[in-house]
Amino acid sequence: MDDALKAPSRRAFLKGSAAAVAGSVAAGAAVAAEPDPLITELQDWASSLGEGVDETPYGLPIKYEDDVVRRNVPWLTADPISSINFTPIHALDGTITPQGCAFERHHSGAIELSKPDYRLMINGLVDQELVFTYADLERFPRENHVYFCECAANTGMEWAGAQLNGVQFTHGMIHNMEYTGVSLRTLLNEAGLGAAGDLKDKWVYVEGADASSNGRSIPMEKALDDVLVAFKANGEALRKEHGYPVRLVVPGWEGNMWVKWLRRIEVTDMAVESREETSKYTDVLADGIARKWTWVMDAKSVITSPSPQSPITHGPGPMVISGLAWSGHGQITRVDVSKDGGMTWETARLGRQGDTKALTRFYLDTEWDGEEMLLQARAMDETGYVQPTKAQLREVRGENSIYHNNCIQTWHVKTNGEAENVEVS
Ligand SMILES: Nc1nc2c(c(=O)[nH]1)N[C@H]1C(S)=C(S)[C@@H](COP(=O)(O)O)O[C@H]1N2
Ligand SMILES: [Mo]
């Protein structure tokens, strides 16, 4: 059905229910038969005073939204210090993740580091080893960019089969924020890279001030490209749990490299091969050999509504199917949605032209016939890459992997509107 045909029927439906509220027409499940006291009676909130402006100097969401919170999966990690929680992506719209409900991943807990106590060292193969204070960093030219940060383990529990019943848990190790910071290139040039010689085979080793230090090696080419030393997210200071006062932003690359509480950047002539890039964050293939240096997060998408935590709550008729798509290689160019487990596809509408290496919102404005659906989304990015099915991914990667599962997700939507995490072959 094309848009020209779809639009009038949607308008007719909405007009029908609006007229019914006034009592003149009674048609459709959404129509109230009795006069609506919310329309006919004066309500408290309109006849008394609200809260004064000084009551909440820094705001939290209204109490009616108090289920829109980070959640964890208790059996996943042994304790909450070295753990993960998940973004409630089933309940958000648009693309920006508020810091207050963005997923957190700490290896040794979230530390409290003040700006006066903050130092950032650049050492190793540089002309002049430097130590910056927070105030020093604020004197370099700043940039603003929106990027997604996805833990490589996102969707990792789903390799062997459908497991977690909620998009928050299957896909919620992701957030998308507008960062303000100084480009890493600027700081490296301040220290001078002459001493490093040919930059082609050089690396930077980045580490955090927390006990885990979460050290990672990054090839110089990426370090000089789009990496940011960031101190603001969504306009405000980074929250403690996201690395206050300074974190590294490594656009399109796995979240583990986004070092929080950034304390040191060493220019080296080889990769350090730290724990986080050997025993962790590598991908064991079917033959037991591990892929390493799998930094880029490939194109991926998922339907956030309807989904197990966001069932359909209305009857047949107009409905909006919505979700998120992203690619570590650049922009999302197209997202398709299937209602029949991948047999037929419709192209979704992008909320707006997506930023590079950032979440893109998509919508399919459609009609629900009240029947069961096997809902899927499939993303394409500017390189022409198409998000694979689970079967395609397993063919290449086997079933030993945890990280980098970007396969197509299926939700089984039932006639009562509830949805369940399933796998289709
Ligand atoms: N210093 C430090 N940086 C860190 C971590 C950490 O434990 N310590 N965890 C990493 C991992 S595995 C991920 S996925 C991201 C998560 O960032 P977030 O907590 O802001 O969501 O931070 C990365 N940076
Ligand atoms: Mo991670």
Side-chain angles (χ1 to χ4, degrees), residues 170-412:
T170 56
H171 290 76
M173 291 185 198
I174 191 161
H175 51 60
N176 191 65
M177 304 188 194
E178 186 205 49
Y179 294 98
T180 301
V182 177
S183 92
L184 177 55
R185 188 189 327 111
T186 300
L187 298 182
L188 288 171
N189 286 334
E190 185 72 12
L193 290 171
D198 186 358
L199 296 179
K200 264 205 204 73
D201 56 355
K202 298 300 181 298
W203 298 71
V204 295
Y205 183 69
V206 288
E207 65 178 20
D210 54 330
S212 81
S213 86
N214 196 86
R216 287 293 305 248
S217 309
I218 300 176
M220 184 59 83
E221 190 185 357
K222 179 70 173 176
L224 294 176
D225 181 14
D226 54 4
V227 177
L228 277 184
V229 174
F231 32 84
K232 295 276 164 77
N234 301 339
E236 64 181 353
L238 288 163
R239 296 249 164 117
K240 174 181 75 176
E241 54 269 39
H242 300 300
Y244 182 94
V246 177
R247 92 172 301 166
L248 203 64
V249 167
V250 190
W253 288 23
E254 60 189 16
N256 185 259
M257 305 174 93
W258 295 47
V259 170
K260 303 189 279 189
W261 314 290
L262 181 68
R263 80 165 168 209
R264 193 170 71 92
I265 299 164
E266 180 179 350
V267 177
T268 63
D269 56 7
M270 57 180 158
V272 166
E273 310 258 1
S274 70
R275 171 185 184 271
E276 300 294 324
E277 52 202 21
T278 52
S279 86
K280 302 289 180 240
Y281 296 98
T282 49
D283 313 311
V284 182
L285 300 175
D287 61 5
I289 293 181
R291 301 195 309 167
K292 70 171 184 177
W293 308 147
T294 48
W295 301 306
V296 181
M297 302 309 294
D298 285 322
K300 184 165 169 180
S301 66
V302 71
I303 291 171
T304 52
S305 177
S307 66
Q309 296 161 288
S310 177
I312 304 176
T313 54
H314 57 71
M319 82 168 290
V320 175
I321 296 173
S322 180
L324 293 166
W326 61 96
S327 168
H329 288 283
Q331 265 181 322
I332 288 295
T333 48
R334 181 171 140 188
V335 181
D336 293 335
V337 171
S338 176
K339 295 172 180 164
D340 53 17
M343 292 192 303
T344 62
W345 296 90
E346 294 169 73
T347 298
R349 175 171 64 84
L350 304 186
R352 65 179 173 80
Q353 176 71 38
D355 295 312
T356 187
K357 302 171 189 177
L359 293 189
T360 297
R361 172 64 59 177
F362 66 86
Y363 299 103
L364 186 73
D365 309 302
T366 188
E367 300 274 327
W368 185 39
D369 57 11
E371 298 297 318
E372 290 186 296
M373 296 185 279
L374 287 171
L375 277 186
Q376 298 185 332
R378 176 178 72 184
M380 276 152 259
D381 72 16
E382 64 179 74
T383 68
Y385 177 93
V386 181
Q387 184 183 0
T389 64
K390 210 163 188 176
Q392 288 168 334
L393 198 64
R394 281 187 185 135
E395 234 170 79
V396 181
R397 302 271 304 281
E399 287 186 36
N400 294 329
S401 280
I402 300 168
Y403 309 110
H404 295 281
N405 179 356
N406 69 321
C407 74
I408 290 172
Q409 170 68 39
T410 312
W411 305 126
H412 175 202

